[in-house]
Amino acid sequence: MQLFVIALWLLSGSAISRAQDSEYLISPNPVGLVVGGRQRLQVLDRQGRDVTSALWSIESGDGVIAVGVEYGDALVDPTEVAGASGPSYVAALAPGKGMVRATVDGREFTANVTVYPGPELPPGTVARSMPPLLEGARVRNQLQSRKVSEETPDLYVQEGTDKGSYIRAFYESGIQKWVWPSPREPLDLRLICGDNFGGAVVAIAVSGAFQTAALRHDGTERWRVSTAPWWAYTYTDGNLLYIVEDHPDVPVLTALDGETGERKVQIPLPTNLTQHVGYVPPPGMGAKCVPGSSVSRSGPSSHGSLFTDENDTVYLPINTLNATFDATGCAPELLISSLTAKLTVDSHLQLLSVNDNGETTWRTIRRQVQTVTWERPTEWLYPWGSPIPDGHGGALIPARGQLGSILDGKALLERGSVFRVNGDAVHEYHMPVLPPKDRKAWNMLLGEDDRGFFAGDRAIVAFNVLDGKILWVWRSQEPILMIGALVDGSVLVEIGDQPSRRVERVDAAGKSAGVVLKARTD
């Protein structure tokens, strides 16, 4: 199943996003089989509807492949065998290449089939590829469902163009079950996660408003509610969808009932506070002294991603940055000297936890108070990427540290860190790589034998979870995204962009171990 997921996501990009030039399409196409294998086929129209009236035949490859409906152990033509009916399959008879033909309303179109000797497909071979419904469409996201019955799809895929997206539901066999909404009327949406009922959660932007919806596994809407924009989420075993609603003034941690969409928990998050004393803001070279003046402004704090542990406790790292620009003692009406005016920065990284009863706990991870003159740089820290469990009842929290001027927000130096929080202990591990610019690319994985993997800017760091010891650093010349840690200590890494995008394995010693999958270019 995992190979199916990786292959679909990797290989359904622009390299094969040229939709078949027809009102209909065959799916899957192409197909890879070993001798003796079978693959179910279907014909879809451009709205993703199943066309059951297609007539199937062999275009080329007689003796290599056969096509028809199952009748006992054989595949037969249902127009020639009384009582034969049902979905159509292609069967692999002998090594080679073949093409199946589907005819609908007098129009013909084909799909390619490659048969290998077996007993397994060669490494890196794609067993099936599902073509996009629209010209220029590509896969934006995908996720595995929670299988609650045989009718539950195995995979949800967000597919779309620059005009919007739609969700397609597939079985592991590659057969599409449904599409929502109609590809002719796509939405500005994001496929977020699966729920505990076999369905999926999506975020939708409609006419400047933001909505969150849950889809049943049959493709109908379970619920839809209005929310503030959000990107951080986690779904608990207790059927709660936690999101951080990023209101412009005060962010709120919200728990939505997975079955009804009702708000069950709402926790306002702390805000940043900036104070200006002895002058009228903004601070800088042109600020004039105004004794007795005091102006305070608040804004949203920064937060990382949400995650849930094995006890259904939800965690959220949050950093508040409180700053005081103090020009007390300056000469009235004169320009303030940045060499004498004071700046105090209080950077407070905390971990909020919410248990399955809704009870909250705040834990300080790191707090740093700095007082300097205005022209001096200060350090600030904020959570970045996705925290993960440490395998010992604690958490690993990635953070991004910057040294620079808080006046203009420009960073002179950057660094990546991982904080391990376990019981009463907090340890900071410094990572010897720069943080990536893309938040999605800065992720972590937990491997076997207390081995953690940290993704930096075109680099991966393997480290010991218990003491932070760096085991190895692997670097790439192209953008990367870690997608899985294997039991042998290696890591699967997506590298590059289309058309050269591929999945490679980095072995347990930090060495490149070859391509696992690569994008099609034909």
Side-chain angles (χ1 to χ4, degrees):
M1 180 64 182
Q2 182 62 34
L3 183 61
F4 166 66
V5 172
I6 294 173
L8 177 64
W9 185 84
L10 178 67
L11 300 173
S12 296
S14 60
I16 61 169
S17 64
R18 298 182 298 276
Q20 299 174 30
D21 187 18
S22 168
E23 183 181 348
Y24 305 100
L25 57 87
I26 298 176
S27 183
N29 181 19
V31 173
L33 293 169
V34 298
V35 173
R38 289 184 181 181
Q39 170 63 53
R40 182 178 165 184
L41 301 172
Q42 67 180 156
V43 174
L44 302 172
D45 67 13
R46 292 302 174 186
Q47 297 187 57
R49 295 175 298 198
D50 196 8
V51 179
T52 59
S53 60
L55 299 177
W56 296 90
S57 57
I58 300 298
E59 174 79 10
S60 63
D62 281 327
V64 174
I65 58 174
V67 68
V69 301
E70 292 185 324
Y71 190 76
D73 293 331
L75 294 184
V76 301
D77 186 338
T79 64
E80 298 178 355
V81 178
S85 63
S88 295
Y89 291 79
V90 60
L93 305 179
K97 293 182 179 293
M99 296 179 68
V100 295
R101 180 196 307 121
T103 304
V104 179
D105 298 331
R107 282 164 288 185
E108 299 179 348
F109 32 97
T110 60
N112 297 306
V113 181
T114 302
V115 180
Y116 300 89
E120 297 179 350
L121 291 174
T125 300
V126 177
R128 61 191 71 89
S129 182
M130 282 58 77
L133 296 176
L134 298 181
E135 180 73 28
R138 63 184 181 88
V139 173
R140 310 275 182 169
N141 193 17
Q142 66 175 351
L143 56 90
Q144 289 181 248
S145 73
R146 181 164 184 168
K147 197 81 171 176
V148 298
S149 72
E150 290 301 315
E151 297 302 313
T152 307
D154 294 284
L155 188 72
Y156 294 114
V157 176
Q158 177 188 342
E159 185 178 282
T161 67
D162 56 2
K163 295 181 180 180
S165 295
Y166 43 89
I167 307 299
R168 301 176 70 185
F170 291 95
Y171 291 111
E172 186 175 357
S173 64
I175 295 300
Q176 178 188 287
K177 182 179 182 182
W178 51 258
V179 59
W180 174 96
S182 168
R184 301 300 186 190
E185 299 177 349
L187 295 173
D188 182 4
L189 60 80
R190 289 185 298 130
L191 176 63
I192 301 301
C193 63
D195 63 21
N196 290 345
F197 308 100
V201 176
V202 296
I204 310 168
V206 180
S207 302
F210 204 83
Q211 299 173 334
T212 302
L215 304 178
R216 296 184 180 90
H217 62 72
D218 63 1
T220 60
E221 289 188 30
R222 181 180 296 275
W223 51 261
R224 186 189 293 206
V225 297
S226 295
T227 59
W230 55 270
W231 60 267
Y233 68 90
T234 189
Y235 200 101
T236 71
D237 289 339
N239 294 327
L240 291 178
L241 171 66
Y242 275 87
I243 61 175
V244 180
E245 296 189 81
D246 289 311
H247 295 283
D249 47 359
V250 180
V252 176
L253 176 61
T254 299
L256 302 175
D257 187 298
E259 187 168 11
T260 65
E262 178 186 356
R263 283 176 164 81
K264 292 293 189 179
V265 175
Q266 288 199 284
I267 304 172
L269 303 183
T271 57
N272 295 337
L273 179 65
T274 302
Q275 295 178 291
H276 307 269
V277 179
Y279 73 102
V280 177
M285 299 297 293
K288 287 187 177 182
C289 180
V290 182
S293 173
S294 180
V295 177
S296 297
R297 294 174 178 172
S298 61
S301 55
S302 59
H303 62 83
S305 299
L306 289 155
F307 82 99
T308 307
D309 68 11
E310 64 275 9
N311 298 316
D312 232 20
T313 298
V314 173
Y315 296 89
L316 177 68
I318 304 165
N319 190 72
T320 53
L321 189 66
N322 298 324
T324 300
F325 295 86
D326 192 349
T328 300
C330 59
E333 298 302 321
L334 295 182
L335 294 178
I336 295 172
S337 171
S338 60
L339 299 176
T340 58
K342 301 295 184 183
L343 166 62
T344 299
V345 177
D346 181 359
S347 178
H348 190 190
L349 180 60
Q350 301 178 81
L351 185 63
L352 168 63
S353 60
V354 185
N355 67 19
D356 55 0
N357 293 320
E359 299 169 336
T360 61
T361 302
W362 292 86
R363 171 74 181 277
T364 293
I365 299 174
R366 182 186 181 211
R367 187 164 195 172
Q368 184 178 21
V369 179
Q370 307 158 81
T371 300
V372 298
T373 52
W374 281 11
E375 90 286 359
R376 301 292 295 174
T378 57
E379 181 184 11
W380 61 92
L381 187 74
Y382 48 96
W384 190 266
S386 302
I388 61 173
D390 68 353
H392 296 273
L396 298 171
I397 302 169
R400 186 184 194 117
Q402 294 184 327
L403 179 69
S405 171
I406 201 171
L407 291 175
D408 56 19
K410 293 182 178 179
L412 302 175
L413 296 172
E414 290 189 282
R415 64 178 175 85
S417 293
V418 174
F419 288 89
R420 183 185 178 217
V421 180
N422 192 289
D424 294 330
V426 176
H427 301 282
E428 182 177 5
Y429 305 150
H430 294 286
M431 298 290 110
V433 295
L434 292 176
K437 301 298 186 290
D438 184 1
R439 184 188 300 269
K440 178 183 177 182
W442 196 358
N443 63 337
M444 289 196 301
L445 298 172
L446 182 64
E448 301 292 324
D449 301 323
D450 294 319
R451 180 172 295 201
F453 300 97
F454 176 94
D457 185 25
R458 303 189 178 194
I460 296 175
V461 180
F463 65 98
N464 186 289
V465 167
L466 300 180
D467 59 13
K469 179 182 177 181
I470 304 301
L471 304 176
W472 49 257
V473 179
W474 175 87
R475 300 184 184 276
S476 171
Q477 298 298 315
E478 301 174 82
I480 66 168
L481 178 67
M482 294 192 301
I483 57 177
L486 305 182
V487 294
D488 63 359
S490 63
V491 184
L492 293 179
V493 188
E494 178 215 320
I495 303 176
D497 299 310
Q498 288 285 8
S500 62
R501 186 165 53 169
R502 61 202 181 277
V503 173
E504 292 189 12
R505 187 173 70 88
V506 179
D507 69 20
K511 306 297 183 182
S512 295
V515 174
V516 177
L517 290 169
K518 61 182 179 180
R520 292 174 56 89
T521 56
D522 57 339

